[in-house]
Amino acid sequence: MSNNNASSSSVAVAQKAVKQLRIEAKMRRINVSQAATDLKNFCLQNAHKDPLLVGVPSSDNPFRPPKSCGLL
Amino acid sequence: MGEMEQMKKEAEALKTQIEAARKAACDTDMASAASGVAPAPRVQLKTRRTLKGHLAKIYAMHWSTDNKLMVSASQDGKLLIWDSHSGNKVNAVPLKSSWVMTCAYAPSGNLVASGGLDNMCTVYNLKTPVIKTVKELDAHTGYLSCARFLSDTEILTSSGDTTCALWDLETGKQKTVFLNHVGDCMCLALSPDMNSFVSGACDSLAKLWDIRDGQCKQTFQGHTSDINAISFYPSGNAIITGSDDCTCKMYDLRADQEVIGYQDAALNSGVTSLALSVSGRLVFAGYDDFNCNIWDSLKGEKVGVLSGHDNRVSCTGVPVDGMCVCTGSWDSFLKIWN
């Protein structure tokens, strides 16, 4: 004699899993070569604006102490 | 039961179909595609600030969009707001529950949020004469692992109850619940265009969700243990994950698969946190072994390390202007590097 509550909830779980897989299966995928090229180009085009990559000159670095005190 | 058998069969068939489609799109990998790119320079960053003030392990930090202020959360039961330029503490928010796991700064700078083992997300207004609790978001049935503001009226949370949720901060109620993970959700990241977010969980999967319709659009597998950290690549077309399996991975959203992994046989500590530089070229990953390793995202090579903490690096963050990287640790200190 099966436990109706347990089996109907596992049916619901399985239905949900199948529904989700159907959504994911429908997706149109692009080739990794295209994806990688786009990621690479984005990186290279933005490299010059990346302070951690190109370095921060000390005059522009808010975390470097100023060389002289302007108060006196 | 006949119905269960049928559904199992359909599920298996769909999984096989998805794998075949991914394989068909897999005509190269990121490292090969980037073979002609000059290697990233050896990155040697110096500690510019050590922020001392917490009395116990730091679990989380988040930059304000003004690139100067940041919030940190510690199990000493406090949120501290820091002026990173001067190194001074601007505010201290005492927490009702000291078991905090996450904190967030609203893009406006007006609000911060925290949450943890109390299963709640508490939102505070920093701009009232005395800092006030404005909402206690109470509906998760598990710990709050991460929170991120979309605006002053909406916040996203991830929880150990395996769900993520979008909350209305005016009513204090959940607008949308994101259901699909089968393990504790550990982290979330908002897409640059704010229409979607990704979550990482203890089921070793990362999932992409549509914020408005609540639907899980894509699932990314490959990790073999809990995903503790997740971030969007700045172009919005890829995500990077960090896991207890000691690796980080980049998944491209349009190719729907992993395109490169960041791992080293010598590394056998879990990844706790990660942050990207503004071009996406550098990945700063915090590990249980007290270091933060710097990876070249295109070539998959380690190009630097941030050493200086005396305990696990639990959180990392790069501000919007990309001028530095902040690491927070169980040693109770935050360090700013550039």
Side-chain angles (χ1 to χ4, degrees), chain B residues 107-248:
Chain B
S108 65
N110 295 329
L111 309 171
V112 288
S114 67
L117 295 183
D118 58 356
N119 297 358
M120 291 199 311
C121 180
T122 307
V123 180
Y124 311 86
N125 188 336
L126 295 179
K127 303 294 179 155
T128 44
V130 176
I131 294 177
K132 267 176 39 169
T133 299
V134 294
K135 272 291 179 293
E136 283 177 338
L137 306 175
D138 190 2
H140 280 301
T141 55
Y143 58 83
L144 204 83
S145 51
C146 192
R148 284 293 176 259
F149 286 92
L150 275 76
S151 66
D152 281 4
T153 55
E154 287 182 313
I155 194 169
L156 268 173
T157 56
S158 61
S159 170
D161 68 11
T162 78
T163 74
C164 298
L166 175 69
W167 304 76
D168 179 328
L169 288 177
E170 282 159 347
T171 62
K173 300 271 178 261
Q174 290 180 332
K175 273 163 74 150
T176 312
V177 183
F178 302 90
L179 302 162
N180 209 261
H181 278 296
V182 296
D184 301 13
C185 292
M186 298 302 293
C187 52
L188 69 90
L190 214 42
S191 67
D193 70 8
M194 311 258 280
N195 291 326
S196 48
F197 74 96
V198 284
S199 58
C202 293
D203 56 14
S204 58
L205 302 173
K207 286 180 181 284
L208 174 75
W209 308 84
D210 181 311
I211 290 184
R212 299 303 152 194
D213 71 18
Q215 184 63 56
C216 171
K217 299 295 191 203
Q218 288 172 253
T219 299
F220 302 95
Q221 59 206 51
H223 278 298
T224 53
S225 188
D226 306 356
I227 294 177
N228 298 316
I230 197 162
S231 185
F232 263 90
Y233 193 77
S235 68
N237 285 332
I239 61 170
I240 307 216
T241 52
S243 166
D244 271 350
D245 68 12
C246 314
T247 75
C248 297

Side-chain angles (χ1 to χ4, degrees), chain B:
Chain B
M1 273 190 80
E3 204 184 341
M4 276 301 280
E5 275 314 300
Q6 254 184 306
M7 284 195 291
K8 275 188 191 164
K9 271 183 81 175
E10 188 180 352
E12 286 314 306
L14 287 165
K15 285 181 191 170
T16 304
Q17 189 189 326
I18 291 169
E19 278 324 296
R22 284 179 175 152
K23 209 165 165 214
C26 189
D27 53 354
T28 186
D29 63 59
M30 185 75 238
S32 308
S35 57
V37 174
R42 181 94 202 143
V43 181
Q44 283 169 316
L45 305 181
K46 295 201 167 83
T47 304
R48 301 296 178 193
R49 296 281 182 278
T50 297
L51 304 178
K52 304 182 189 195
H54 280 301
L55 304 172
K57 295 173 173 167
I58 291 172
Y59 275 78
M61 62 80 46
H62 194 214
W63 283 97
S64 165
T65 52
D66 74 359
N67 302 307
K68 188 178 74 147
L69 298 179
M70 39 177 265
V71 60
S72 60
S74 162
Q75 293 201 347
D76 63 6
K78 291 224 165 41
L79 292 186
L80 290 178
I81 315 288
W82 306 86
D83 175 331
S84 63
H85 292 176
S86 63
N88 293 333
K89 295 175 229 3
V90 170
N91 268 315
V93 185
L95 303 175
K96 258 193 199 167
S97 162
S98 62
W99 304 112
V100 65
M101 295 174 69
T102 187
C103 59
Y105 224 121
S108 65
N110 295 329
L111 309 171
V112 288
S114 67
L117 295 183
D118 58 356
N119 297 358
M120 291 199 311
C121 180
T122 307
V123 180
Y124 311 86
N125 188 336
L126 295 179
K127 303 294 179 155
T128 44
V130 176
I131 294 177
K132 267 176 39 169
T133 299
V134 294
K135 272 291 179 293
E136 283 177 338
L137 306 175
D138 190 2
H140 280 301
T141 55
Y143 58 83
L144 204 83
S145 51
C146 192
R148 284 293 176 259
F149 286 92
L150 275 76
S151 66
D152 281 4
T153 55
E154 287 182 313
I155 194 169
L156 268 173
T157 56
S158 61
S159 170
D161 68 11
T162 78
T163 74
C164 298
L166 175 69
W167 304 76
D168 179 328
L169 288 177
E170 282 159 347
T171 62
K173 300 271 178 261
Q174 290 180 332
K175 273 163 74 150
T176 312
V177 183
F178 302 90
L179 302 162
N180 209 261
H181 278 296
V182 296
D184 301 13
C185 292
M186 298 302 293
C187 52
L188 69 90
L190 214 42
S191 67
D193 70 8
M194 311 258 280
N195 291 326
S196 48
F197 74 96
V198 284
S199 58
C202 293
D203 56 14
S204 58
L205 302 173
K207 286 180 181 284
L208 174 75
W209 308 84
D210 181 311
I211 290 184
R212 299 303 152 194
D213 71 18
Q215 184 63 56
C216 171
K217 299 295 191 203
Q218 288 172 253
T219 299
F220 302 95
Q221 59 206 51
H223 278 298
T224 53
S225 188
D226 306 356
I227 294 177
N228 298 316
I230 197 162
S231 185
F232 263 90
Y233 193 77
S235 68
N237 285 332
I239 61 170
I240 307 216
T241 52
S243 166
D244 271 350
D245 68 12
C246 314
T247 75
C248 297
K249 290 178 188 295
M250 184 198 287
Y251 296 93
D252 185 276
L253 301 184
R254 295 176 304 160
D256 188 43
Q257 57 192 282
E258 179 181 342
V259 295
I260 190 167
Y262 310 103
Q263 64 236 359
D264 186 318
L267 277 175
N268 47 23
S269 305
V271 179
T272 60
S273 50
L274 57 85
L276 269 52
S277 70
V278 295
S279 67
R281 187 68 192 266
L282 300 176
V283 178
F284 297 90
Y287 290 73
D288 285 343
D289 70 358
F290 311 178
N291 288 328
C292 178
N293 289 314
I294 310 175
W295 299 91
D296 176 338
S297 66
L298 300 182
K299 290 181 170 294
E301 295 160 353
K302 211 173 94 162
V303 295
V305 64
L306 303 176
S307 298
H309 283 293
D310 295 323
N311 206 323
R312 175 185 291 197
V313 173
S314 54
C315 48
T316 53
V318 171
V320 170
D321 67 1
M323 287 293 278
C324 66
V325 54
C326 178
T327 52
S329 166
W330 280 9
D331 69 7
S332 80
F333 302 124
L334 297 144
K335 286 179 183 287
I336 309 245
W337 314 73
N338 70 10

